């Protein structure tokens, strides 16, 4: 999966997730140690599935919120995406949790005045203490840093590149 990632944040987060999961399909959420990934935190988020099967932001880093010009905690993940992609990202997020499969999405972030920015979104499943996969650790990383970044909020994301799902098997010792 490292071969298809273009963002340093995505690569480092995936390596960390892979390290803490060990020989299991996915790590538990209580194994995430923020201090171990402190330089990545501004571009990270945690999604959770609620009792209505919605996928919402539990936490969102400062750069993720600044990209959209608002606090994202409690908002549905699908609201970041244009049109029918909202439903599709709900399906993808649900599958990340159900199948324990990381997914990377390549998208274009669009501002109101039609500025574009390439974005990479990495979705990594997390297990609860009971072993149920009900959260996602993710990153949302711009692939460049234009002068207007965080000054002109993004109004939505458009998946233009195909999503890449990577089945991660158990490690063999």
């Amino acid at each position: 999966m490292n071969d298809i990632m273009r963002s340093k944040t995505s690569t480092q987060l995936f390596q960390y997730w892979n390290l803490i999961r060990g020989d299991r399909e996915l790590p538990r959420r209580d194994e995430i140690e923020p201090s171990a990934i402190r330089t990545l935190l501004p571009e990270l988020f945690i999604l959770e599935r609620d009792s209505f099967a919605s996928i919402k932001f539990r936490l969102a880093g400062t750069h993720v919120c600044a990209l959209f010009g608002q606090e994202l905690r409690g908002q549905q993940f699908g609201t970041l995406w244009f049109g029918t992609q909202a439903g599709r990202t709900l399906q993808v997020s649900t599958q990340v949790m159900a199948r324990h499969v990381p997914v990377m999405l390549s998208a274009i972030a669009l501002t109101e005045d039609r500025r574009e920015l390439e974005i990479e979104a990495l979705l990594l499943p997390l297990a609860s203490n009971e072993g149920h996969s009900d959260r996602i650790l993710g990153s949302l990383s711009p692939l460049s840093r234009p002068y207007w970044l965080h000054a002109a909020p993004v109004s939505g994301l458009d998946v233009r590149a195909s999503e890449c799902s990577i089945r991660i098997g158990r490690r063999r010792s």
Side-chain angles (χ1 to χ4, degrees):
M1 189 157 177
N2 286 336
D3 295 340
I4 60 174
M5 292 182 212
R6 296 169 52 199
S7 161
K8 180 179 170 184
T9 299
S10 298
T11 302
Q12 290 177 350
L13 182 61
F14 179 73
Q15 289 170 346
Y16 176 74
W17 177 86
N18 206 29
L19 176 71
I20 62 173
R21 80 180 177 99
D23 63 353
R24 300 166 294 158
E25 285 185 303
L26 64 161
R28 291 187 330 267
R29 65 181 178 235
D30 66 350
E31 294 174 308
I32 302 296
E33 187 59 50
S35 64
I37 52 176
R38 70 180 161 276
T39 60
L40 307 178
L41 293 177
E43 292 185 348
L44 301 188
F45 58 83
I46 294 180
L47 301 175
E48 68 180 340
R49 181 178 46 224
D50 66 15
S51 58
F52 302 106
S54 295
I55 308 292
K56 295 183 178 181
F57 282 94
R58 181 171 177 83
L59 299 168
T62 55
H63 290 177
V64 177
C65 292
L67 187 65
F68 293 91
Q70 61 182 311
E71 173 61 50
L72 295 175
R73 184 184 175 108
Q75 288 194 32
Q76 293 199 21
F77 184 57
T79 62
L80 302 184
W81 308 84
F82 288 118
T84 59
Q85 293 177 13
R88 179 69 181 129
T89 57
L90 174 63
Q91 290 174 338
V92 168
S93 301
T94 301
Q95 291 303 310
V96 166
M97 289 186 236
R99 296 184 178 174
H100 307 165
V101 179
V103 170
M104 191 183 69
L105 301 170
S106 295
I108 300 295
L110 301 168
T111 64
E112 292 286 328
D113 59 356
R114 302 228 187 267
R115 295 178 192 182
E116 295 185 359
L117 177 65
E118 284 186 277
I119 297 283
E120 190 170 88
L122 178 62
L123 307 176
L124 302 166
L126 292 175
S128 66
N129 293 340
E130 297 79 35
H132 306 292
S133 180
D134 62 350
R135 295 207 180 153
I136 291 174
L137 173 63
S139 63
L140 193 64
S141 307
L143 297 180
S144 65
R145 304 279 180 206
Y147 71 91
W148 53 265
L149 185 62
H150 304 306
V154 167
S155 57
L157 301 173
D158 183 16
V159 177
R160 293 196 180 163
S162 48
E163 65 197 42
C164 303
S165 67
I166 310 304
R167 187 160 304 277
I168 306 294
R170 289 194 168 104
R171 290 186 183 165
R172 301 183 192 261
S173 342

